[in-house]
Amino acid sequence: MMRVRRNFEGFTLLEVVISVALFAVGVTVLLSSYLNVINALHNIQVDQHYEQDLAMVRRIALQVGTLEELEDGGDVETGNHGEARWEGELEETLIADLFKVTLRVEMLPEDESDEDIILEQEFYLTRPNWSDPEDRELLRAETKDRYLSEQLKLDRR
């Protein structure tokens, strides 16, 4: 009796269906990741444009000569987003001639359908000519007292 030897050199239909399904899941995951990266890069680029415009407005605000000019602000043409309106808010600190500045920039939309975008940034600014001389001397005396009291605490240790 002769034996017939069958040689199965292929894939079954079930194996093919499973491999196609796994491939489709892998492609979907990779495509989704790719789209997320593209969206993130776009958002970073948009944020960079706002940062550039904000830096330009900050340079203009730093060049003003008086306290009133900073608080009044003004309008400026930005490089990326058209016209912007800015204003500064000053807050005195415990250090003489040092001010905490809150800069608010409103990007005005070119279309009426778009919403205004408001950017805000805080920084410190030294302007000796903006301080009241009496307040300056009072702040310097308070700073000196704080310094001396801290020195006494350190010396006692």
Side-chain angles (χ1 to χ4, degrees), residues 51-67:
E51 288 295 324
Q52 289 171 351
D53 288 344
L54 186 60
M56 184 190 77
V57 173
R58 184 178 57 244
R59 279 192 303 275
I60 292 170
L62 289 172
Q63 292 174 357
V64 298
T66 65
L67 177 71

Side-chain angles (χ1 to χ4, degrees), residues 1-5:
M1 205 178 194
M2 194 168 146
R3 288 188 159 172
V4 177
R5 193 169 173 196

Side-chain angles (χ1 to χ4, degrees), residues 5-90:
R5 193 169 173 196
R6 292 188 180 174
N7 196 2
F8 294 103
E9 292 185 17
F11 298 106
T12 65
L13 181 60
L14 182 60
E15 290 171 332
V16 170
V17 168
I18 290 174
S19 64
V20 168
L22 288 174
F23 178 76
V25 167
V27 167
T28 303
V29 168
L30 288 176
L31 184 62
S32 173
S33 298
Y34 176 73
L35 291 176
N36 286 338
V37 167
I38 295 296
N39 285 336
L41 288 174
H42 175 72
N43 289 338
I44 288 171
Q45 187 176 19
V46 168
D47 287 346
Q48 280 181 332
H49 290 302
Y50 283 119
E51 288 295 324
Q52 289 171 351
D53 288 344
L54 186 60
M56 184 190 77
V57 173
R58 184 178 57 244
R59 279 192 303 275
I60 292 170
L62 289 172
Q63 292 174 357
V64 298
T66 65
L67 177 71
E68 291 78 22
E69 284 179 306
L70 182 70
E71 290 176 336
D72 290 343
D75 293 338
V76 65
E77 190 70 29
T78 65
N80 297 308
H81 296 98
E83 190 175 351
R85 182 172 294 125
W86 67 273
E87 64 181 21
E89 181 181 311
L90 245 61

Side-chain angles (χ1 to χ4, degrees), residues 140-153:
R140 286 182 179 168
E142 289 174 356
T143 302
K144 183 179 178 181
D145 290 342
R146 279 195 312 270
Y147 175 74
L148 290 175
S149 68
E150 289 297 320
Q151 281 296 88
L152 285 173
K153 287 179 188 177

